[in-house]
Amino acid sequence: MPNSGFQELTFPRHRIGSDDVLRVTSDRQVIHGLIEVDMTDPLKSIHEYEQRTGDDISVVAFIAHCLGKAIDEDKRIQAFRLGRKLIVHDDVDVNIMIEREAGGGKIVAQHVLRQTNRRGVLEMCREIRESQRNPIEHGRPLRLLELYAAIPAFLRRPLMRLMLRNPHRFKAMGGTTAITSVGMFGQGAGWGFPWFRSP
């Protein structure tokens, strides 16, 4: 049979939880926004600061810091609807994606930066770098992901839906807002749109 020009890959088990979250939250009120920001001056300032101090500044930490400060001005932006009530948390916890070692390879894993509206960029940079250096297999997270992935989907997703109905548990698991980065994939601009959809 001739090569038809594709390859079949196994869906990563560590991403099953993220896939379930997208599926079970498909009925939530989601607002998509697209903005373009000129980062020339901030990147220049970051580079000059790094040259002057020797510190390694994460652009993701800088953006998370700015997002935390912006949301802090009106926290209703990150409100969680619970029936006729809105739950508005004081902390702006930003969910980011970072590359980590797991099982001898690299995976993309979520990491929640807590209280970004109250913390400085350098502190969050150190937290990100420490998380990147810490392989997932050295702790409980990978074992929990494997255990979760072993549960059949028809049981897993209702369980996830039940857990995420509680706004405080939702915040604990995934933060109050999220950002992502596609900067590692090449030059130029890029945007990611989460598409919530049931199978």
Side-chain angles (χ1 to χ4, degrees):
M1 185 177 204
N3 188 336
S4 55
F6 74 94
Q7 56 180 326
E8 206 170 274
L9 303 175
T10 302
F11 187 79
R13 291 175 69 82
H14 69 273
R15 299 295 292 162
I16 286 175
S18 299
D19 181 65
D20 284 347
V21 169
L22 291 175
R23 290 175 188 274
V24 304
T25 57
S26 61
D27 60 344
R28 299 284 168 84
Q29 292 76 25
V30 178
I31 299 172
H32 295 286
L34 176 62
I35 63 170
E36 186 170 345
V37 179
D38 183 357
M39 290 290 289
T40 304
D41 290 340
L43 290 176
K44 181 181 177 183
S45 298
I46 288 171
H47 180 68
E48 289 173 353
Y49 181 86
E50 288 177 331
Q51 296 281 47
R52 189 171 66 253
T53 65
D55 289 322
D56 178 22
I57 302 298
S58 162
V59 175
V60 172
F62 172 76
I63 293 173
H65 173 76
C66 294
L67 180 62
K69 291 296 185 185
I71 292 177
D72 196 46
E73 294 187 12
D74 189 347
K75 298 188 183 78
R76 291 174 298 173
I77 293 172
Q78 64 175 11
F80 187 105
R81 184 176 175 183
L82 188 61
R84 295 186 178 183
K85 298 178 181 178
L86 290 178
I87 308 301
V88 183
H89 290 101
D90 291 332
D91 295 334
V92 182
D93 294 346
V94 179
N95 190 324
I96 64 171
M97 294 293 143
I98 60 175
E99 194 175 64
R100 297 180 66 182
E101 293 279 348
K106 296 275 191 181
I107 69 168
V108 176
Q110 77 165 16
H111 180 84
V112 180
L113 292 168
R114 305 288 179 187
Q115 300 182 329
T116 59
N117 52 326
R118 306 171 195 265
R119 300 168 64 197
V121 175
L122 282 178
E123 183 183 356
M124 289 189 283
C125 285
R126 287 191 287 269
E127 181 179 331
I128 291 171
R129 299 306 182 211
E130 179 61 29
S131 184
Q132 288 172 326
R133 286 191 295 268
N134 183 24
I136 289 181
E137 63 262 33
H138 288 174
R140 288 196 319 157
L142 194 61
R143 290 193 298 274
L144 292 174
L145 287 172
E146 290 291 332
L147 180 63
Y148 178 81
I151 301 171
F154 74 92
L155 294 174
R156 213 175 52 230
R157 289 174 189 158
L159 175 64
M160 178 68 75
R161 183 174 279 108
L162 182 64
M163 289 192 301
L164 296 182
R165 285 181 64 185
N166 183 308
H168 308 295
R169 189 178 296 120
F170 191 101
K171 176 181 181 293
M173 292 174 64
T176 59
T177 188
I179 58 175
T180 188
S181 170
V182 295
M184 73 286 287
F185 298 119
Q187 300 295 320
W191 297 274
F193 291 94
W195 184 253
F196 302 109
R197 157 175 196 186
S198 297

